[in-house]
Amino acid sequence: MTGSASRAVTAQALEGLRRLTAAVKARVGVTGGQHLDVSLNGAIPPGRGLGSSAANARAIILALADLFGRKLSEGEVFDLVQAAENLSHGRASGVDAMAVGATAPLLFQAGKAQALDIGCDVLFVVADSGTAGSTKEAVELLRAGFRAGTGKEERFMSRAAQLVDDAKASLAEGEPEEFGSCLTEYHELLRGAGLSTDRIDALVDAALQADSLGAKITGGGLGGCVLAVSRPERAGEVARQLHDAGAVHTWAVQLRRSTHER
């Protein structure tokens, strides 16, 4: 591990790596005490709602399986990544463990995922705010808000579910403007619950001013990244204005029309 991580963080990471390695060896039936030097070069920033810990775990698991000459099914890889996620975060939902192995957008509900129908070609521009989020703090803040008034939780969850359904339908029907509107409205829902920050809001506003179709915070909240959806020809301008608004890094991710049938 390189960089400026604290001794406590380094110790936790090393213990996690030892336990992950032991779990992989047990799963593939490898015995013995081989000495392993593990060098991990990751470009996904931690604490940004992008699943960096799950991506790291998956990379290590597949590398170890390859080293030992074993084949792991996707189910076995998921179980191992999820075990690593539970070690890192406590009780993990499974969404990151599933998403880092996906090749297309997924709808994740109640521990299960399904591929989404995509009826249009757009670009996602992901902007790193430079500030790590705190899922635990965000969840506690949301719960406190729910307790503050009768019916708040029901209204929040009902609106969130409706926006997810609307976004799913607009993607399937090839309506990128409607999909973008769902993202922005979802961000407003989260902002109203106190889960955004001034920096995140500034990035969302910058994306919208650059004619992106919509934008929202990623991850649990209180920091992390902004996800903006853009037409391909506008993505460069969206990224430029996001940098001008304080983004420390941006990535462009193509979302292509799907060809699978249900």
Side-chain angles (χ1 to χ4, degrees), residues 162-229:
Q162 185 61 59
L163 286 170
V164 170
D165 288 343
D166 290 348
K168 176 184 174 182
S170 62
L171 276 178
E173 294 165 10
E175 299 173 343
E177 295 88 352
E178 293 298 321
F179 175 65
S181 294
C182 290
L183 293 188
T184 304
E185 289 186 47
Y186 208 119
H187 179 75
E188 291 303 319
L189 180 67
L190 297 175
R191 173 156 56 180
L195 301 182
S196 189
T197 67
D198 289 344
R199 175 172 289 190
I200 291 291
D201 290 342
L203 292 175
V204 169
D205 290 343
L208 297 177
Q209 290 169 12
D211 293 330
S212 73
L213 302 176
K216 70 176 290 292
I217 191 173
T218 65
L222 302 180
C225 292
V226 164
L227 180 70
V229 61

Side-chain angles (χ1 to χ4, degrees), residues 37-67:
D37 289 323
V38 177
S39 177
L40 183 64
N41 180 15
I44 305 173
R48 306 295 201 274
L50 300 180
S52 64
S53 60
N56 292 342
R58 182 179 173 88
I60 292 169
I61 289 162
L62 294 177
L64 289 173
D66 184 60
L67 175 68

Side-chain angles (χ1 to χ4, degrees), residues 6 36 74 151 174 185 200 259:
S6 68
L36 299 176
E74 274 301 317
E185 289 186 47
I200 291 291
T259 57

Side-chain angles (χ1 to χ4, degrees), residues 224-239:
C225 292
V226 164
L227 180 70
V229 61
S230 169
R231 295 190 185 280
E233 65 271 16
R234 294 294 299 168
E237 180 61 18
V238 172

Side-chain angles (χ1 to χ4, degrees), residues 4-5 15 18 49 86 92-94 97 124-125 130-131 142 161-162 177 219-220 256:
S4 58
E15 177 59 23
R18 277 191 287 269
N86 286 333
S93 69
F124 282 123
V125 180
T131 304
L142 192 60
Q162 185 61 59
E177 295 88 352
R256 298 187 184 278

